[in-house]
Structures are given as structure tokens and as C-alpha cells.
Amino acid sequence: MATASSLLSAAAVRERAHRLYELGIEGELEHFDVRLDRLPATADFVLSTMRAAYPDLDIPYHSRWRHFEAGDINRWGGLVDASGLAEHPLRFGRAAYDLAIVSVLLDAGAGPDWRYEEAVTGGTYARSEGLGVASFAMFTSGLFSADPADPLRADASALAALTADELAAGLQVSPSNPIVGLEGRVALLNALGRTVAERPDLFGEDEARPGGLFDACVAAAGEASIAAPAVLALVLDGLGGIWPGRIMIDGVRLGDTWRHTKLVTDDATTQLAPFHKLSQWLTYSLLEPLLWTGVAVEDVDGLTGLPEYRNGGLFIDMGVLVPRRRDALSRTWHVDDEFIVEWRALTVALLDHTADMIRERLGVDRVALPLAKVLQGGTWAAGRKVAAEKRAGGAPPLTIASDGTVF
């Protein structure tokens, strides 16, 4: 019998997503037809996209660190060299976690009209790359630090006191450069600050900062290793309180979990579909700092694919997922609409099957090509590529009203 707490795991995301997928291939879903005959061509398209970007197939993980490299600039490496962070592994890890956690929470969809101009390089970036570069600049400026003498950190007190005006200035928001979900982003960072301050067991007793989670991961690894799902468990435990009021069962905040009438169980979790997209995206982004400091990470494939615009858009644009409503691609949806819940669940399952097809074509296993690399190489890039081919500006096929805390 499932409990509310059991939904706070990648295993639960995968299990319920595949349950809806099985109903989909049997034609028993309300909102989408699943065309498995289109999946091999989709896998081939993804593989060709991977080979174009990474000819030797030496693919990094799909994580926030890639966006800090926008324009082929190694911003983090340059910062580490200039600051001497590499000489102090714990200081390095805490700073990396501070940056990654704040940046990921700012990484919800920016909308089609927002741009960020980087003062140092003069480069202009949009969408996830723009948010990554902007958050990196805000971090290095000390915006998230409570100590002017130590800017490369994020403190609970500074995050809790951050204002919309301060964040808008950091993101260069103006009437001519609007961003989607500014207030939601500010509220999320304010909540992050409060939550971190309330959990000294995870985020540090002497100094409350998100980067304290690095110490918790190192401690959990001990002298062996830590599994990626265990990092996610720490993220979901420590940061569960930051999300806006959504579904709560038995006092457990379920975060990015939504209702679908076809997911019937005989317990309190009936009709619930968990995704934890931002939490998993964050977890992928927290694995690399561990590896960089010599901490082994296992079971990376224990995490799931990310059900968002690019991955989910790929399957719609390639004809694998066919909406049954004629107006599905022209109307605006909300994140709790069953149509969107169904789309996201099918996306998670289809990412697993796409990755399996690609591994079969390459003759490799999950260890050699984990899902984190397929996403990067990969499905996310292929989703962006096909969107650009089909629509001016590369907008995704679906329009979703978001408050900046899901996508």
C-alpha cells in the first residue's frame, strides 16, 4: 500500500508514469493517442542530434552546469581559478551547491520575449541559457550573500529578504523585456531562505545556506558512494517546504504532484501522479560537484527524465503523442489540467523507451549511457531543434500558464 511519503521518490514517478503509458498504448487514455510506430524515427532523430553535438559521444550530464557554459565560455572554471575555491573542497562544494540550487529554482520557463545581455562578454542569451548566465552573474555579484566580504555564497537570510525589484534588476526585466513568473521566482527564493534556516540538520548549524546540503551528501556517502536517488531524497526532504500550497496528504507536502483519474489505487495516493521535475533537475545538477570533489555517485539512472517543454514537445512534434482535442495546440493549459498531467507522465515513460532504443543502436548499457546523458545529448536538444523547424521562434507545441515553479 502506497503512502504519501512514498510518492517523494523517482521510483514513484517512474512507476506511475509507466502505468499511464501502458493505458496509452492500449488506447484507454482520454487525452492522447500513443503512436509507437513513430518512436523508432524519434530515437534516430535524437541519436543524430547527439552525434552532431558530441561526435565522440563523450556527453556530459544534463544539468544546470551546461547553461553556465553558454557561448562556449567556462564561467565556473574561470571563477574557481580566480577565487581559489579548488584549494578547499568543502568550500568549493558548498559554493557550487549554493549556485546550482538558486539557479535551478530560477530556471522555470522565461517566456519567448525575455533576453539577458551579459555585461562582461556582450553576449545575449534567452530562455534557460539566459537564466543560467543571469543567475551566475547575480551569484558572483554577491546578491545572495549576507556577507559583502564573501560574495560567492547564498545565505538563508539574504534569500529570505530578496525583493522582486532586486531580482528584476538582476534579470534585466523591464516593460520591453518581460519575463514570465517573476513573482513566483521571488516567492520561491524567499521560501528557500526560510526553509534552509529551519533545517540546520541538513543545511548547517553554524551558517544556514543551501550549500550545506553538500556536507549532508558527503556524510551520506561516507567512504563508499552515494546513489543519485538518495541525493534526490535529501532534496525532497530538505526543500519540500519551498513549494506553493498544493496537494498535502497526512501532513506531507507532495510538491510537483497532480491528479489523473486513471491512476486508481486502493489507498490515500489514488489518482496522484508525481513528477518532481525541478527537484530532479536540481539533483542532476548536484551530482557533478560531488564527482568533481572525488565523491562516487551510483545509480544515476535511478532518476527519471524531465517532463517539460522540450522533452515533452519532442514527442508531440515527432508524432509519437497525438492530442485528441482539436484545439489542444492552440489553447492555453494549466499545470493541473489532466491533459498536461497525462502528457508529462507519457513523456517520462517515453524518455525511458527512447533511451533504451538509442543504447540498443549503439550497443551500450545504462552505465555507459545513462539517461542523464541521453537527455543532454539528446532529447532536450532534439526537442528544441524540431520546435525551431516547426514554429517561428522555436516555441514549444503547447502553451502552459506557469507561475515559474513547475516548468
Side-chain angles (χ1 to χ4, degrees):
M1 179 178 292
T3 63
S5 295
S6 71
L7 295 184
L8 298 178
S9 70
V13 174
R14 179 167 276 122
E15 187 273 328
R16 299 215 169 186
H18 279 268
R19 190 185 302 183
L20 281 179
Y21 169 81
E22 293 298 327
L23 292 174
I25 61 177
E26 293 169 7
E28 295 183 11
L29 294 179
E30 298 294 329
H31 305 287
F32 284 93
D33 289 319
V34 182
R35 293 283 306 277
L36 290 184
D37 59 309
R38 296 294 303 156
L39 194 56
T42 302
D44 290 338
F45 178 65
V46 173
L47 181 54
S48 69
T49 303
M50 293 168 63
R51 289 189 183 280
Y54 303 96
D56 57 1
L57 295 181
D58 184 15
I59 305 170
Y61 288 171
H62 183 62
S63 79
R64 193 56 162 160
W65 299 98
R66 307 291 80 76
H67 295 144
F68 298 141
E69 300 164 357
D72 293 323
I73 300 169
N74 186 3
R75 293 173 180 81
W76 174 248
L79 179 65
V80 169
D81 291 342
S83 64
L85 280 173
E87 300 173 10
H88 309 278
L90 283 177
R91 184 169 170 244
F92 172 95
R94 291 167 189 156
Y97 269 38
D98 278 340
L99 171 60
I101 290 171
V102 170
S103 185
V104 165
L105 295 182
L106 288 172
D107 190 41
D113 301 319
W114 177 81
R115 300 290 184 274
Y116 180 81
E117 183 174 339
E118 189 177 26
V120 176
T121 65
T124 299
Y125 303 95
R127 299 188 182 275
S128 288
E129 287 84 355
L131 290 165
V133 173
S135 58
F136 187 88
M138 287 186 281
F139 176 77
T140 58
S141 76
L143 177 62
F144 310 120
S145 172
D147 183 359
D150 187 9
L152 303 182
R153 56 188 293 143
D155 291 285
S157 58
L159 292 167
L162 187 72
T163 68
D165 287 343
E166 288 173 324
L167 186 60
L171 294 173
Q172 300 176 355
V173 174
S174 69
S176 60
N177 191 37
I179 195 169
V180 173
L182 176 67
E183 295 294 339
R185 293 170 212 269
V186 174
L188 205 55
L189 292 189
N190 293 159
L192 172 64
R194 294 190 297 270
T195 298
V196 165
E198 294 167 357
R199 291 294 305 272
D201 58 316
L202 281 180
F203 299 109
E205 295 184 1
D206 297 328
E207 50 181 27
R209 52 190 285 198
L213 195 63
F214 178 78
D215 298 60
C217 288
V218 171
E223 297 182 0
S225 62
I226 188 168
V231 179
L232 175 62
L234 288 172
V235 168
L236 290 171
D237 176 29
L239 302 182
I242 72 174
W243 305 111
R246 293 180 184 145
I247 298 173
M248 180 182 290
I249 297 178
D250 298 331
V252 178
R253 293 176 180 268
L254 295 178
D256 185 12
T257 298
W258 312 90
R259 297 192 182 279
H260 194 291
T261 55
K262 295 287 186 177
L263 283 172
V264 179
T265 66
D266 59 358
D267 52 51
T269 70
T270 189
Q271 299 186 356
L272 294 182
F275 297 109
H276 310 308
K277 182 263 175 182
L278 275 178
S279 294
Q280 292 204 77
W281 169 234
L282 175 55
T283 300
Y284 280 123
S285 302
L286 297 182
L287 300 183
E288 285 173 281
L290 291 169
L291 295 169
W292 294 335
T293 52
V295 178
V297 177
E298 297 181 343
D299 195 18
V300 176
D301 250 28
L303 304 178
T304 76
L306 305 176
E308 41 73 60
Y309 292 112
R310 295 308 181 193
N311 291 321
L314 170 70
F315 296 116
I316 291 178
D317 282 337
M318 294 297 292
V320 180
L321 294 179
V322 180
R324 291 186 170 182
R325 288 186 57 143
R326 291 186 177 182
D327 67 344
L329 305 186
S330 60
R331 60 170 290 178
T332 298
W333 297 95
H334 294 85
V335 293
D336 59 347
D337 287 332
E338 189 171 277
F339 175 92
I340 296 299
V341 177
E342 188 168 299
W343 167 63
R344 297 181 75 197
L346 292 171
T347 295
V348 169
L350 286 166
L351 287 169
D352 281 342
H353 291 297
T354 301
D356 285 340
M357 284 186 173
I358 290 171
R359 294 183 190 112
E360 183 178 357
R361 284 156 169 72
L362 295 175
V364 299
D365 60 16
R366 293 170 181 263
V367 176
L369 189 66
L371 186 57
K373 295 187 176 186
V374 176
L375 295 172
Q376 174 62 25
T379 55
W380 192 90
R384 173 178 277 187
K385 181 179 179 181
V386 70
E389 293 172 355
K390 288 182 172 289
R391 288 170 296 278
L398 296 178
T399 302
I400 305 169
S402 174
D403 63 359
T405 65
V406 175
F407 293 103

